[in-house]
Amino acid sequence: MKTATFRIDDLDVEIHPGNQAMGVAAADAAAQIINAAVERSGTANLVLATGNSQVTFLAALRKQNIAWPAVTVFHMDEYLNLPAGHPAGFPEFLRRHLLDEVRVRAFYPVPGHPADLTLACQGYEALLRAHPVDLCVLGIGENGHLAFNDPPADFGEADWVKVVDLDERSRRQQVGEGHFDRLDEVPARAITLTITGLRSAATMLCLAPERRKAEAVHRALTGPVDGTCPASILRRTPHARLLLDRDSASLLEPRNPERTGDAE
């Protein structure tokens, strides 16, 4: 199978033959963006997502020839008051899948146990503004969320970081992915980058493999662009690319792609 590439509104979409091919393609693109930023500015700033949809990408990213000592890493959300060191914590996920293997300039985790929630959000936003993001790599949730912006999402928020109450479907996804044993173990609140904060990145790569994401992908690409499917905002984000695999694209109508290439 070849990789199909087409455009929906302002969004470039790629359908790869499988999750592995998608992850390698995303890592190749990310490495080019990161190294170009380092060559241009001497440093690069990167926001990463977590979750099972990112595993093949992060494995491929570790193998790339990237100027990691010049890269500052952020991530996009974190549960509130998860026990310290819990394997489902998003900083722990990133350490296991990337940061224990490469030496970066700095890593700034989203605070999960802040004494003052308002100051924590303002402080993380200040860090992001002080380190303009060159690349944000994110996923799409089973309910269409971006980061922990569950539906109905606000596309026009002024703040870049906020506290949210998590949608039950979003929490059930965490159980389904194996990060928790039971729903009542999943925290009900989190800190997340807002849609505005995510879209502040110069480039966005959105990775949404697997059949369980097919419904959300279909809604994002064929439904209205509004907060009932947060991922639909990607269609109004010219600096974003959406990478799918054959399973996650399975509900899309066949179309004539603008161009095709050999599968990775």
Side-chain angles (χ1 to χ4, degrees), residues 75-98:
H75 63 116
M76 57 189 59
D77 45 25
E78 175 60 324
Y79 301 110
L80 283 174
N81 300 318
L82 193 67
H86 193 291
F90 296 142
E92 296 301 319
F93 180 98
L94 286 178
R95 291 187 180 101
R96 287 197 307 274
H97 289 280
L98 180 68

Side-chain angles (χ1 to χ4, degrees), residues 119-158:
L119 286 178
C121 292
Q122 292 174 346
Y124 207 73
E125 177 172 337
L127 277 172
L128 290 167
R129 289 184 179 275
H131 299 78
V133 175
D134 298 292
L135 173 63
C136 174
V137 185
L138 67 165
I140 296 176
E142 293 175 19
N143 66 352
H145 72 210
L146 298 180
F148 270 144
N149 296 280
D150 290 322
D154 184 350
F155 293 163
E157 288 182 294

Side-chain angles (χ1 to χ4, degrees), residues 124-198:
Y124 207 73
E125 177 172 337
L127 277 172
L128 290 167
R129 289 184 179 275
H131 299 78
V133 175
D134 298 292
L135 173 63
C136 174
V137 185
L138 67 165
I140 296 176
E142 293 175 19
N143 66 352
H145 72 210
L146 298 180
F148 270 144
N149 296 280
D150 290 322
D154 184 350
F155 293 163
E157 288 182 294
D159 293 336
W160 285 17
V161 185
K162 68 177 181 178
V163 177
V164 293
D165 296 318
L166 297 177
D167 180 87
E168 182 175 318
R169 185 172 181 187
S170 182
R171 295 171 66 223
R172 288 190 182 279
Q173 177 180 328
Q174 305 304 315
V175 177
E177 291 189 2
H179 304 299
F180 298 89
D181 293 328
R182 304 187 313 274
L183 180 63
D184 61 7
E185 294 179 352
V186 184
R189 305 181 79 202
I191 291 179
T192 186
L193 271 64
T194 63
I195 300 293
T196 303
L198 295 169

